[in-house]
Every structure is written in C-alpha cells, then in structure tokens.
Amino acid sequence: MNYLSTRGHPGRKRFCEILLEGLAPDGGLYLPEQYPQIDTATLAKWRKLSYAELAFEILSLYIDDIPPADLKAICAKTYTAEVFGTDEIVPLRELEDGVYLEALSNGPTLAFKDMAMQLLGNLFEYELARRGAELNILGATSGDTGSAAEYAMRGKKGVRVFMTSPDGRMSPFQQAQMFSLQDANIHNIAITGVFDDCQDIVKAVSNDLAFKRKYRIGTVNSINWARLLAQVVYYFAGYFQATAANDKPVSFTVPSGNFGNVCAGHVARMMGLPIHTLVVATNENDVLDEFFRTGIYRVRKSAETYHTSSPSMDISKASNFERFVFDLVKGDGKRVRELFRKVETDGGFDLSGAPGSDGDEFKLVANYGFKSGKSTHEDRVQTIRDVADDYGIVIDTHTADGIKVAKEYMEPGVPMIVLETALAAKFNETILEALGEDAERPAGFENIEALPQRFEVMPADVSKMKAYIAANTGL
C-alpha cells in the first residue's frame, strides 16, 4: 500500500515512512492511494473476531511493510483487558430504542484518544528499534490528545514528546494529567493562545523540512495517518455490536472539533461499512457545522474561538478536514492545495456553488453521508441531567454534545451509535453544575490536581518553539 499527499506531491511512501513523518513535504496530509473494499463475506468473518484480531485484519489492509506476525503481536499487546478494563475493549450500551453509546474511555487517560495512542506508542517503539533511530514527537492538544500521547510514550525507548496546549484552556483534570508527569522524555509547553495557535506551531515546525530532518520531528496528532487508521477499528466494532446481520445500516454521531474522529468514520464508510449517516456534533465553535450546512468553510480567529465547557472541541481550524475535502474534489491535489492556501490567506473557502464561490462540490456532500448539528452549554448541561435521570449514567460534556445532536437525526430502523469522548470526571465543574454533585473518579485519580506539575509557558512563537526543541533533544 502506497500513500500520497492531499496536496499533490508526486512522491509515494510506505506506511512506516509516514508513521514517523507526520505531514507530507508539501504540507499535505497522507492518505492511501485507494481505500480497500470490504464485502459482506469479510464482514461476516470479522464479526466473530476479538477487538485485537479485528484491529489486525483492518490494519493489515493498509500496512504491508511490517511482517504480519509482528503486526498481529503489536495489536495483541495493545488491546488487552489489562489496558482497557474489559475484554470487549469498546462495549456498546443501548440507552433507549435505537440509541447506543459506544464506550471509548476505558484506557489509561480516560478518553477516546487512548484507543489509537496506545497502538501508536507500540508502533513507534517497534519501528524505531527496527531502524535504530530516535524520534521527537511534536504535538498539539486541546485536552485529551496530549495526555493520551504522553501516557503512551512515557518511558518508550528513543522517543521524546513535546506537547503544546493552550495555556489555561483545558479542564483542571486534563491539565493535571499532563503536567504532573515527571518522566524525562515528556515536555509540556503551555502556549499563550488557543488550540489553533498550538496546531499552527506544529504545522510550521513540520513544514521546515531541514529542521524536521535534523531534529527527527514526528507527530501524534490525527494529522498522523496511523492514528486515524487505528480509530477506524472501533467503527467496525460498534457496528458488529449494534447489528445481527451485515445488511443492516447504522449511523454514528461523533463529537468533533478537529475532524479526526469522524474522519475515521468516513474512511470506514468508504471501505464499505454500512454507515447510513455520519453526524458531526460541534459545540459553540461550529466551523464544521457551518460547512456541512452551507458549504462554507470559515476559520475563526483566536479572539473568535470560544472557551466552552466541552474544551477539547474548542477548535476553529479542523486540520483533518483536508482529507475529506481531498475525497470531495475527487483526489485533485492541486485543487486541495489552492483551497487550503486560501484558508491561510483569506480565512476559508466556499464550495456552496453560489456566484463568486470557489466551487460547487457542496452538492456532493450528501453522497458521503454527512450531517451536522451544534450544541451549547445549556444544551449539554440539560443532556447530562437527562441521561443521568433516564439511564443512571453520568456522561462527559463532549458526549453530551453528541447525544443532543444525535437525537436530531434519528431514523426508524437505523441504530444511532454515539461515540463516547471521555469520562465525566475530566470535566467535573460542569457535572457539578448539572447534577449538584461531583463526578465519580476512578481509582488512582482522586487527587490528581494536587500533584506537582512541570511545564513551560511560551508565547505562540515558532522560533521559540524550535529553540526549545533544539535545546532539549540531545541531538
């Protein structure tokens, strides 16, 4: 399997090359040259597999430069009950007739990012050992990616993590999960800005090819194809749990800010998984909702990006959205390059087909099954109350956004699976507001905010970030 850049770079690379590279040389994101197609016979075979076995089957369609026995061992090592608390790994629970909640928060950092990051850590360690190489991971987080990456990479041989986050914009629990880590290979940098400033720094550093090569920079954000690929697996696992036969469609609602989680659903659908609708649920930062309703992609500036009670989605520049746009414009890399250059110069683009727009591809969006909706603070507080009252479950704020929007798109006979984002304990302030009591905390996390914290505060300055990396890599 070869991989290409969304922006038309002529080179083709194998999986293990892009695993360590992150962004393509032209600033684009990597995608496979084609999506492997899954038929009903394959679905029937996969239905009987454990999660680790299913992960191997899906990953092996995209990874042909790791020996199958080694890849199978990596999957078996990653997806265990010891790591994820249950043999099912992603158990499904029916809330009411036709509405399901897929649990993705059973990993070490209590968020769905663990589902991919635990695999990524093991893949990095394997490939770096095979090459006798080192890797400096540069990432950006709005809350959960950072802790999931750091817990997956801490102590890994040959790996250092430099994780940026928006200063003061995560929940106290999320911040403590990251900043309390004292491992020598973990570096936390709080950027005085919003998540998009952090993400821009990562892209700018990654686009400096000479610096990237010298300091061996890689990424763990969902711009890394390996991370997104790992997330494809739980769409298949959720489908199998919600259906008894392979001719029954399901829909998924996905809380989304950076478009990585729902982009994995898009990939699963393109492979042939019977997904009827992919519902994108946003918070007040509704860039994606605006596009899927109007065809206009309009990035907000830092001052226009709201600080909300579902902070992991406080994103106004959805980096993974480029992968969908590539498919939407039928793989025209030159066109993608022009559109995303316009994002940098004009703050967005318009595919509505209106006079003066940049194209009319919005009319094709329905062919990919996408719908969208928006949730506000008042919505999520009410949804948290309703779910606690009706089902005895305390959900986190992002999952509440998902459930609220999911109910707008229910169709008779089509199960709606809402992807859980995290455990409620990570956003206790809103849980306390909604329910009048603290969210239950898992063992080991009772006093995490009181632990000593180690982090650097830095302005949103690419040159300062480069200097910090250079001073702390030992290269």
Side-chain angles (χ1 to χ4, degrees):
M1 174 70 78
N2 288 321
Y3 292 84
L4 51 78
S5 169
T6 52
R7 298 191 183 181
H9 189 277
R12 298 292 184 269
K13 297 193 174 182
R14 306 286 294 285
F15 174 82
C16 287
E17 293 178 281
I18 69 167
L19 168 69
L20 300 180
E21 186 175 347
L23 280 177
D26 59 357
L29 279 65
Y30 283 112
L31 276 174
E33 286 189 309
Q34 66 276 329
Y35 297 114
Q37 296 303 293
I38 304 305
D39 57 22
T40 54
T42 302
L43 286 174
K45 172 187 163 190
W46 287 0
R47 184 176 284 276
K48 306 168 188 173
L49 301 179
S50 69
Y51 193 91
E53 292 168 337
L54 177 63
F56 168 72
E57 292 292 338
I58 294 172
L59 267 57
S60 63
L61 296 175
Y62 292 90
I63 304 172
D64 55 12
D65 51 350
I66 295 177
D70 291 354
L71 183 59
K72 183 173 280 191
I74 290 169
C75 292
K77 175 184 177 181
T78 301
Y79 296 112
T80 67
E82 288 72 29
V83 175
F84 290 99
T86 168
D87 288 327
E88 294 172 296
I89 308 299
V90 290
L92 207 66
R93 175 169 181 171
E94 188 168 14
L95 298 184
E96 57 188 69
D97 188 28
V99 180
Y100 296 82
L101 189 62
E102 185 169 359
L104 301 178
S105 64
N106 294 321
T109 70
L110 318 179
F112 82 94
K113 305 290 177 74
D114 290 321
M115 297 302 307
M117 213 63 78
Q118 287 292 310
L119 178 74
L120 211 57
N122 290 329
L123 283 170
F124 278 147
E125 190 171 51
Y126 171 88
E127 185 59 21
L128 292 171
R130 194 162 66 159
R131 296 179 179 217
E134 296 183 19
L135 185 68
N136 293 303
I137 293 169
L138 176 61
T141 186
S142 54
D144 291 324
T145 289
S147 56
E150 292 176 357
Y151 277 69
M153 306 299 166
R154 61 190 304 198
K156 295 286 187 192
K157 188 176 179 182
V159 180
R160 301 176 195 86
V161 178
F162 296 86
M163 187 59 61
T164 64
S165 60
D167 188 28
R169 284 181 172 255
M170 296 186 293
S171 76
F173 189 108
Q174 288 176 310
Q175 179 173 297
Q177 270 192 310
M178 292 172 54
F179 295 176
S180 65
L181 292 181
Q182 304 296 323
D183 304 72
N185 72 324
I186 303 297
H187 300 271
N188 281 300
I189 305 100
I191 300 295
T192 52
V194 298
F195 170 76
D196 298 303
D197 296 315
C198 302
Q199 189 161 253
D200 286 344
I201 289 172
V202 172
K203 287 193 171 185
V205 173
S206 297
N207 282 326
D208 184 338
L209 300 184
F211 186 91
K212 182 178 179 180
R213 280 193 294 268
K214 181 177 180 180
Y215 292 101
R216 301 167 195 169
I217 303 295
T219 63
V220 290
N221 280 62
S222 47
I223 58 176
N224 188 314
W225 168 256
R227 176 158 149 214
L228 192 143
L229 176 59
Q231 294 175 274
V232 172
V233 180
Y234 53 69
Y235 282 88
F236 282 85
Y239 174 80
F240 292 139
Q241 292 179 75
T243 61
N246 299 318
D247 59 353
K248 186 174 180 63
V250 304
S251 293
F252 286 88
T253 296
V254 189
S256 189
N258 213 22
F259 204 74
N261 200 5
V262 76
C263 190
H266 166 66
V267 172
R269 191 176 187 276
M270 295 293 282
M271 291 172 67
L273 188 66
I275 297 176
H276 179 60
T277 305
L278 281 167
V279 182
V280 179
T282 75
N283 63 15
E284 292 90 337
N285 297 296
D286 57 352
V287 173
L288 293 172
D289 181 44
E290 182 178 34
F291 175 82
F292 285 109
R293 290 185 183 278
T294 68
I296 298 170
Y297 181 62
R298 182 176 60 89
V299 172
R300 279 43 157 185
K301 296 175 181 170
S302 296
E304 300 173 292
T305 302
Y306 299 105
H307 182 195
T308 77
S309 52
S310 49
S312 297
M313 302 197 302
D314 290 350
I315 298 170
S316 291
K317 188 184 290 183
S319 64
N320 262 286
F321 185 58
E322 184 169 330
R323 285 189 166 110
F324 172 65
V325 172
F326 180 83
D327 288 337
L328 188 63
V329 301
K330 306 302 180 187
D332 185 341
K334 180 174 181 289
R335 183 92 192 286
V336 173
R337 186 169 66 252
E338 291 168 350
L339 289 172
F340 281 88
R341 185 179 294 131
K342 192 167 184 185
V343 171
E344 299 305 320
T345 59
D346 298 355
F349 53 79
D350 180 353
L351 299 181
S352 68
S357 66
D358 303 295
D360 63 355
E361 285 86 358
F362 179 62
K363 66 186 180 186
L364 303 176
V365 165
N367 297 340
Y368 295 90
F370 278 102
K371 299 283 180 63
S372 69
K374 171 182 174 180
S375 175
T376 66
H377 177 74
E378 291 72 22
D379 292 328
R380 67 186 65 101
V381 167
Q382 189 59 52
T383 302
I384 289 167
R385 286 180 186 141
D386 291 345
V387 171
D389 290 343
D390 295 344
Y391 315 115
I393 304 172
V394 180
I395 57 172
D396 86 286
T397 50
H398 309 74
T399 305
D401 290 335
I403 289 175
K404 183 265 180 184
V405 175
K407 292 188 175 182
E408 299 170 11
Y409 291 101
M410 294 296 300
E411 295 186 36
V414 181
M416 175 65 81
I417 301 173
V418 179
L419 296 188
E420 180 194 43
T421 301
L423 285 195
K426 301 188 81 166
F427 309 97
N428 189 61
E429 183 178 341
T430 306
I431 302 304
L432 191 58
E433 177 186 347
L435 303 180
E437 59 186 25
D438 292 327
E440 183 180 350
R441 293 200 170 190
F445 291 94
E446 293 87 353
N447 298 301
I448 191 169
E449 293 94 339
L451 294 174
Q453 298 187 6
R454 180 172 66 91
F455 62 99
E456 299 283 335
V457 178
M458 188 181 298
D461 186 309
V462 175
S463 62
K464 284 184 168 57
M465 189 69 238
K466 287 180 178 176
Y468 183 85
I469 292 171
N472 286 280
T473 60
L475 296 177

